[in-house]
Amino acid sequence: MTSTPHQTAPGIVEIEATALRLRDHVLRTPLLHSPFLDAIAGRRLLVKAECLQPTGSFKVRGGWAAVSALAPEVRARGVIAYSSGNHAQGVARAAAAMGAPCVIVMPADAPRVKIDNTRALGAEVVLYDRETDDRDAIGGAIASDRGLTLIKPFDDPQVIAGQGTAGLELAEQAAHLEALHADVLVCCGGGGLAAGIALALESRAPGLRVRTCEPAGFDDTARSLASGTRQRNATMGGSVCDAIVTPSPGLLTLPVLERLAGPGLVVTDDEALHAMALAFQHLHIVLEPGGAVSLAAALFRKDEIAGDTVFCIATGGNVDPALYRETLTRFA
Amino acid sequence: MTSTPHQTAPGIVEIEATALRLRDHVLRTPLLHSPFLDAIAGRRLLVKAECLQPTGSFKVRGGWAAVSALAPEVRARGVIAYSSGNHAQGVARAAAAMGAPCVIVMPADAPRVKIDNTRALGAEVVLYDRETDDRDAIGGAIASDRGLTLIKPFDDPQVIAGQGTAGLELAEQAAHLEALHADVLVCCGGGGLAAGIALALESRAPGLRVRTCEPAGFDDTARSLASGTRQRNATMGGSVCDAIVTPSPGLLTLPVLERLAGPGLVVTDDEALHAMALAFQHLHIVLEPGGAVSLAAALFRKDEIAGDTVFCIATGGNVDPALYRETLTRFA
């Protein structure tokens, strides 16, 4: 396993170079709009639909960025990732396209669709218990045994640069709409997407400000930003927003967010589900709960948001059909 | 009501002029891709997601094109449309944006969400019985009484030109993918979208060929193309694909399709529902049955399609939540 102890977050040059590498391999996602959602949000609301990416989440950006950045002889030995599912699929897709072996370490309670899809993408899946096992230790051991390179889900400069390419796109799209000052709501687990977007916007759209969005009870980033020290979640299980539950913000990502992001936003699980139903009705996109917390914040925390326009990154759409049906029953 | 008896289908010049007028008012929709769907389709499958348009269907293109083409004093008197829902919303949105009064004549059995959304967009909704009433007669009478201009759903040169802008986008997107020879599957009611796209492709991507897609039992276009004479559907009710059930192909659209389209494709209602569920799982878009028949044809009529790439236009996403839940129960 390659050890890289003194990494730093990427700069705008790295993010723009990554965007060139990703072109033709990830989708330039559209900004969606509905007058019905504007009415609820109390301002113009524009949703960048990362759920439309191949494999259903923004994670294809970081996965492709990291795997494509490896030296050919390193990549040929293979890669490993630990992930609740979306990062897994992003890495597996990139590895398969580049002919690299791929092992994915996933929590045993991840949605079935994510486990199945990761296997279908050609990866070997190793399951662990989210409450009792240490996924970093499991992943590290397998990586050492087989000479695999660990692709971390967020605390990796290449991954942050990859996710940051969404911010480059947003900067261009916002300029076209003449939206020069607005909050950008980003679903936040370890903070790779939020940090990457914040770094891209710092250079390309400095009037746009990232706001992290998390589920209640798993708001480690909001508490870290408020307290000025890195906070941990009390538990790792129990939120329907499984895709964005991480133990704590990243060592690379948190300093970026402390410097560039506004206060963190927190929504309830039911608000995330309600936002999923509204996205079904008015945007015609499928979101998973963890991918809908930013939309939920735009719709249900409007007093904590500034400006007459707000952007949301809707980050993923891999949701079990049974949960989706239940959500439509309750909220649509 | 303005009468225009000797209209002809638009040419590429009109379609390109319309595209300039629509820019900034409709979405340039992305082409979505999933390796899982490729495996079912047996070839590369790319889905142009028109369900992501504001109001949830491609009809915003034709609606904006037609209302924006009216002389200001004509537009100020108002517009009227008869529509099972998506054309209604497209016209209502354009009229509201341009400050024109708008009356919509809708079948009483249209999905509730379409009726509600049309009213929420500021239109006056008049309901009629799909089996017993003549919507053309009802619309014509109201238009005469109030001096409104009737915006026909498909047999109108401006509407066809508006829908054709999707074909201009597709020609550019296909060229970027180096897909120069492929079938383009289009959900087909009266044929405005299919004809508009066919006309755009004729000039801008002549190796791409439109194939109309319809639900079984309501395959008036397929039968018209096969027989060389304009066929009618035996009934107007009973298909879950309500959005694309029309009495017969248009007088303007059918000659275009006879000249440019391949044989029509026909799928069952269950195949359309199955395609909706697969779009949920693998593309993360919400489709209505009538908006999914093209995807169903790509997935379940693969022996009737030529080439190693196929394009689908997924035309709309306004589906009642109860039907969507039932569809996921059966097919996801």
Side-chain angles (χ1 to χ4, degrees):
Chain A
M1 177 171 132
T2 307
S3 177
T4 45
H6 298 302
Q7 293 178 319
T8 57
I12 188 67
V13 172
E14 286 79 21
I15 298 173
E16 293 193 326
T18 303
L20 287 177
R21 220 159 67 239
L22 265 58
R23 199 179 51 182
D24 298 336
H25 300 293
V26 307
L27 189 68
R28 181 186 172 86
T29 50
L31 282 185
L32 305 183
H33 174 254
S34 161
F36 302 101
L37 296 185
D38 284 4
I40 301 173
R43 52 174 62 85
R44 180 169 63 163
L45 167 60
L46 295 153
V47 177
K48 191 162 171 64
E50 287 290 306
C51 60
L52 302 176
Q53 292 288 359
T55 79
S57 87
F58 74 96
K59 293 281 190 176
V60 292
R61 297 179 184 270
W64 197 280
V67 177
S68 66
L70 296 174
E73 67 276 13
V74 174
R75 189 164 60 225
R77 286 200 298 274
V79 297
I80 182 170
Y82 38 84
S83 163
S84 61
N86 285 329
H87 176 58
Q89 291 189 56
V91 171
R93 172 177 178 267
M98 298 178 218
C102 181
V103 174
I104 301 294
V105 185
M106 296 183 86
D109 65 345
R112 192 76 226 166
V113 63
K114 292 183 181 178
I115 297 172
D116 290 347
N117 285 351
T118 303
R119 287 193 172 125
L121 288 165
E124 176 186 344
V125 174
V126 176
L127 300 174
Y128 75 95
D129 186 301
R130 204 192 276 264
E131 289 288 350
T132 60
D133 292 339
D134 177 345
R135 70 176 184 182
D136 293 27
I138 292 174
I142 298 174
S144 298
D145 286 350
R146 307 194 197 176
L148 308 175
T149 299
L150 179 66
I151 309 292
K152 296 183 183 178
F154 50 85
D155 235 355
D156 174 292
Q158 298 290 350
V159 170
I160 295 170
Q163 320 305 29
T165 61
L168 294 182
E169 293 174 12
L170 181 64
E172 287 182 19
Q173 292 168 315
H176 184 74
L177 294 168
E178 299 179 1
L180 303 181
H181 297 276
D183 280 353
V184 177
L185 278 48
V186 185
C187 307
C188 185
L193 179 64
I197 289 176
L199 289 164
L201 296 179
E202 179 186 23
S203 292
R204 293 294 170 259
L208 302 188
R209 178 177 68 155
V210 162
R211 306 287 301 275
T212 58
C213 302
E214 296 169 292
F218 303 87
D219 58 344
D220 49 307
T221 297
R223 289 185 289 109
S224 298
L225 291 174
S227 68
T229 58
R230 192 158 169 260
Q231 303 290 311
R232 294 186 70 83
N233 287 320
T235 174
M236 282 292 286
S239 172
V240 73
C241 302
D242 63 287
I244 59 170
V245 171
T246 50
S248 60
L251 295 171
L252 293 181
T253 56
L254 183 59
V256 172
L257 296 174
E258 286 176 324
R259 185 166 65 81
L260 297 174
L265 296 162
V266 180
V267 301
T268 66
D269 278 3
D270 271 4
E271 287 168 335
L273 296 172
H274 193 172
M276 283 167 60
L278 290 166
F280 163 88
Q281 290 177 296
H282 298 300
L283 300 176
H284 310 102
I285 55 175
V286 176
L287 296 181
E288 60 189 88
V293 294
S294 57
L295 179 58
L299 297 173
F300 307 123
R301 292 293 178 275
K302 57 187 181 184
D303 294 344
E304 300 176 39
I305 296 167
D308 55 9
T309 296
V310 64
F311 295 96
C312 287
I313 316 292
T315 47
N318 289 309
V319 53
D320 267 336
L323 174 61
Y324 203 76
R325 292 198 314 266
E326 182 191 328
T327 300
L328 295 184
T329 301
R330 290 183 60 200
F331 294 106
Chain B
M1 179 171 133
T2 306
S3 177
T4 46
H6 298 300
Q7 294 178 320
T8 58
I12 189 67
V13 172
E14 286 78 22
I15 298 173
E16 293 193 324
T18 303
L20 287 176
R21 221 160 66 238
L22 265 57
R23 200 180 51 186
D24 298 337
H25 301 294
V26 307
L27 190 68
R28 182 187 172 85
T29 50
L31 281 186
L32 305 184
H33 175 254
S34 161
F36 302 101
L37 296 186
D38 284 4
I40 301 173
R43 51 175 60 87
R44 179 169 64 162
L45 168 59
L46 296 153
V47 178
K48 190 160 173 65
E50 286 289 307
C51 60
L52 302 176
Q53 292 288 1
T55 80
S57 89
F58 74 96
K59 292 282 190 176
V60 293
R61 298 180 185 266
W64 196 279
V67 177
S68 66
L70 296 175
E73 67 276 14
V74 174
R75 188 164 62 227
R77 287 200 296 273
V79 297
I80 181 169
Y82 39 83
S83 164
S84 62
N86 285 328
H87 177 58
Q89 291 188 55
V91 171
R93 172 177 177 267
M98 298 178 218
C102 181
V103 174
I104 301 294
V105 184
M106 297 183 86
D109 65 345
R112 191 79 225 165
V113 62
K114 293 184 181 178
I115 298 173
D116 291 346
N117 286 350
T118 304
R119 288 194 171 124
L121 288 165
E124 177 187 343
V125 174
V126 176
L127 299 175
Y128 75 97
D129 187 301
R130 204 192 275 264
E131 290 289 349
T132 59
D133 293 338
D134 177 345
R135 70 178 184 180
D136 295 26
I138 292 174
I142 299 174
S144 298
D145 287 350
R146 306 193 198 176
L148 308 176
T149 300
L150 179 66
I151 309 292
K152 295 184 183 177
F154 50 85
D155 234 356
D156 175 293
Q158 297 291 348
V159 170
I160 295 170
Q163 320 306 27
T165 61
L168 294 181
E169 293 173 14
L170 181 64
E172 287 182 20
Q173 291 168 315
H176 185 73
L177 294 167
E178 299 179 1
L180 302 182
H181 297 276
D183 280 352
V184 177
L185 279 46
V186 184
C187 306
C188 185
L193 180 65
I197 289 175
L199 290 164
L201 296 179
E202 179 186 23
S203 292
R204 294 291 170 260
L208 303 187
R209 179 178 67 154
V210 162
R211 305 287 303 274
T212 58
C213 301
E214 296 170 292
F218 303 88
D219 57 346
D220 49 307
T221 297
R223 290 185 289 110
S224 298
L225 291 174
S227 68
T229 58
R230 191 158 170 258
Q231 302 291 310
R232 295 185 69 82
N233 287 318
T235 173
M236 284 291 286
S239 173
V240 73
C241 302
D242 64 287
I244 61 169
V245 171
T246 50
S248 61
L251 295 171
L252 293 181
T253 56
L254 182 58
V256 173
L257 296 174
E258 286 176 324
R259 187 166 63 83
L260 297 173
L265 296 161
V266 180
V267 301
T268 66
D269 279 2
D270 271 6
E271 287 168 334
L273 297 171
H274 193 174
M276 284 168 59
L278 290 166
F280 164 87
Q281 288 177 298
H282 298 299
L283 300 176
H284 311 102
I285 55 175
V286 177
L287 296 182
E288 60 189 87
V293 293
S294 58
L295 179 59
L299 297 172
F300 307 123
R301 292 292 178 276
K302 57 187 179 183
D303 293 343
E304 300 176 37
I305 297 167
D308 56 8
T309 296
V310 64
F311 296 96
C312 286
I313 316 291
T315 46
N318 288 308
V319 53
D320 267 338
L323 174 62
Y324 203 77
R325 292 197 315 266
E326 183 191 328
T327 300
L328 295 184
T329 300
R330 291 183 59 200
F331 294 106

